Amino acid sequence: MSLKLPEDIQDEADAGPARFNTCEQKIAARFNIADRKQPADAWLLQTAGWTWQVKLTWQLETDLLTELRDHAEEEAIRVFAHNLHDLLLAAPAGPRVTMGLDPGLRTGVKVAIVDRTGKLLETATVFPHVPRNDWNGSLETLGRLARKHAVDLISIGNGTASRETDKLAGELMKLLPPDRKLTKVVVSEAGASCTRHRNWPPTSFRHWT
């Protein structure tokens, strides 16, 4: 890619002798260079031409290419961010009613039900583990929520008491009718706590962060 003025392109097409283009003429005029039939005039005019062809053209080409590359990188980042935004907001398990379980011991297991669009339906807290050990009461509460909202999937965080909560979810699945076809999955909690120090989570979810 090179920088050429329209008259340069026309001269090449005409295959005629090279003439001073507009920029070269301005450089010569700026330094009062002209063909006055003096011994040094030809050299000075050639110097004015070289100033444009060798120095200024190269610098302008570099600046223009840098600007074009910057614009291309900005557009690539914008497109990537748009695609990543859609990917991150897509339901990883598809459009399914999901029961999310955030395992915990002393503070209990936090429960949240979202519909197929991700809308929050209901929340609760159960205490199946130490120190309360309300295993049966927790199963009753979870079973009621699963039946009420026709839960398809149980998502369990892999934090503290994850293994015990996974066992709780397994027993819940046995208590529900087989036609429910309920499945469970353990998911990573990496990065989940980053919202605790931010103000952007939706209002309906803030008391969970």
Side-chain angles (χ1 to χ4, degrees):
M1 183 176 179
S2 61
L3 176 65
K4 290 187 178 181
L5 298 178
E7 52 259 48
D8 294 334
I9 299 175
Q10 185 62 43
D11 288 344
E12 291 179 0
D14 295 340
R19 299 173 298 176
F20 260 27
N21 60 38
T22 303
C23 294
E24 292 168 333
Q25 292 173 12
K26 288 184 177 181
I27 294 171
R30 173 66 178 79
F31 293 97
N32 197 25
I33 299 173
D35 186 4
R36 299 185 179 87
K37 308 303 181 183
Q38 299 295 322
D41 286 347
W43 179 80
L44 291 173
L45 288 170
Q46 188 179 43
T47 301
W50 283 349
T51 301
W52 168 252
Q53 297 168 19
V54 178
K55 296 293 185 180
L56 297 181
T57 301
W58 173 83
Q59 186 62 49
L60 285 173
E61 285 180 357
T62 301
D63 292 344
L64 289 173
L65 287 174
T66 299
E67 186 174 348
L68 287 173
R69 183 172 61 251
D70 289 343
H71 284 312
E73 289 177 352
E74 290 176 1
E75 179 63 15
I77 292 172
R78 187 193 66 79
V79 172
F80 177 79
H82 177 76
N83 293 337
L84 182 62
H85 176 271
D86 293 341
L87 179 63
L88 291 176
L89 291 182
R96 308 174 72 179
V97 180
T98 302
M99 172 186 288
L101 300 180
D102 181 14
L105 296 175
R106 181 182 56 82
T107 56
V109 176
K110 312 300 190 302
V111 186
I113 312 291
V114 295
D115 68 7
R116 289 174 173 81
T117 66
K119 178 183 177 182
L120 180 64
L121 299 177
E122 191 170 347
T123 62
T125 303
V126 295
F127 298 87
H129 313 310
V130 293
R132 299 197 187 183
N133 293 317
D134 185 17
W135 190 267
N136 292 332
S138 298
L139 284 174
E140 181 181 350
T141 300
L142 295 179
R144 176 180 57 80
L145 292 173
R147 288 187 292 269
K148 177 181 177 181
H149 300 291
V151 171
D152 301 311
L153 174 70
I154 300 176
S155 177
I156 307 160
N158 67 344
T160 304
S162 174
R163 191 170 300 176
E164 296 87 341
T165 305
D166 181 60
K167 181 180 178 182
L168 178 72
E171 288 200 18
L172 172 65
M173 294 170 61
K174 294 177 182 178
L175 294 176
L176 295 175
D179 58 353
R180 289 285 329 128
K181 296 182 180 179
L182 192 61
T183 57
K184 63 183 176 71
V185 62
V186 177
V187 299
S188 172
E189 292 186 357
S193 62
C194 69
T195 61
R196 296 182 182 178
H197 304 290
R198 295 182 176 271
N199 296 321
W200 59 261
T203 303
S204 57
F205 286 91
R206 280 185 184 153
H207 63 287
W208 289 100
T209 60

